[in-house]
Amino acid sequence: MSSRIAELLLEALTHRSWVNEHPGARDNEALAFVGDAVLGLVVAEHLASVEPAAAVGVLTPRRADLVSGASLARWAERLALGECLRLGRGEARDGRARQGVGPRHRAGGGAGGRVSRGGPARRRPGDRGAGRMVA
């Protein structure tokens, strides 16, 4: 793993509470911002390809459900992502199980992969990555 990818991975897994206790570290806020958008795009593209005749009014709530905090928290739990997070002492004690921590970091991790490749996520038409989330 290159040092840049390792840096991005650490950043994606770093909660702002960790940064408060470790000056100089970078939190995942910027990666989460980009990751949220990338995840929304990938899920929307997948839904549109699976159901091309579906109305936007049908697809929009499905997409919203799939990228919701609750849905992402379930995926983060399945992946045991909480065990990988760098949290400050208070957040680790009180907030590790909260829904908001895992999803933001999961999305940030996705953005880390995007940024580490120097631009838009590399996907081919028909990639099935979002399909696993839909299932």
Side-chain angles (χ1 to χ4, degrees), residues 77-99:
E77 186 176 331
R78 286 182 186 173
L79 297 170
L81 192 59
E83 298 171 19
C84 302
L85 299 178
R86 295 192 323 166
L87 301 172
R89 288 184 299 273
E91 190 68 31
R93 182 185 65 243
D94 302 330
R96 190 175 290 272
R98 282 197 305 242
Q99 281 189 348

Side-chain angles (χ1 to χ4, degrees), residues 22-65:
H22 300 85
R26 294 177 57 160
D27 68 35
N28 78 323
E29 296 288 322
L31 292 177
F33 173 74
V34 174
D36 289 345
V38 170
L39 182 61
L41 172 65
V42 170
V43 170
E45 184 180 54
H46 173 75
L47 290 172
S49 71
V50 170
E51 297 185 58
V56 171
V58 171
L59 297 177
T60 299
R62 286 185 189 162
R63 182 195 65 217
D65 182 55

Side-chain angles (χ1 to χ4, degrees), residues 71-130:
S71 179
L72 295 178
R74 286 190 301 272
W75 279 100
E77 186 176 331
R78 286 182 186 173
L79 297 170
L81 192 59
E83 298 171 19
C84 302
L85 299 178
R86 295 192 323 166
L87 301 172
R89 288 184 299 273
E91 190 68 31
R93 182 185 65 243
D94 302 330
R96 190 175 290 272
R98 282 197 305 242
Q99 281 189 348
V101 175
R104 296 286 317 271
H105 279 79
R106 185 178 188 310
R114 177 190 179 276
V115 173
S116 71
R117 292 178 193 76
R122 292 184 185 166
R123 292 184 304 105
R124 297 176 308 277
D127 278 357
R128 300 282 183 222

Side-chain angles (χ1 to χ4, degrees), residues 10-11 13-19 25-26 82 84-88 96 105:
L10 278 177
E11 184 177 332
L13 294 170
T14 302
H15 189 263
R16 69 176 164 237
S17 64
W18 172 272
V19 174
R26 294 177 57 160
C84 302
L85 299 178
R86 295 192 323 166
L87 301 172
R96 190 175 290 272
H105 279 79

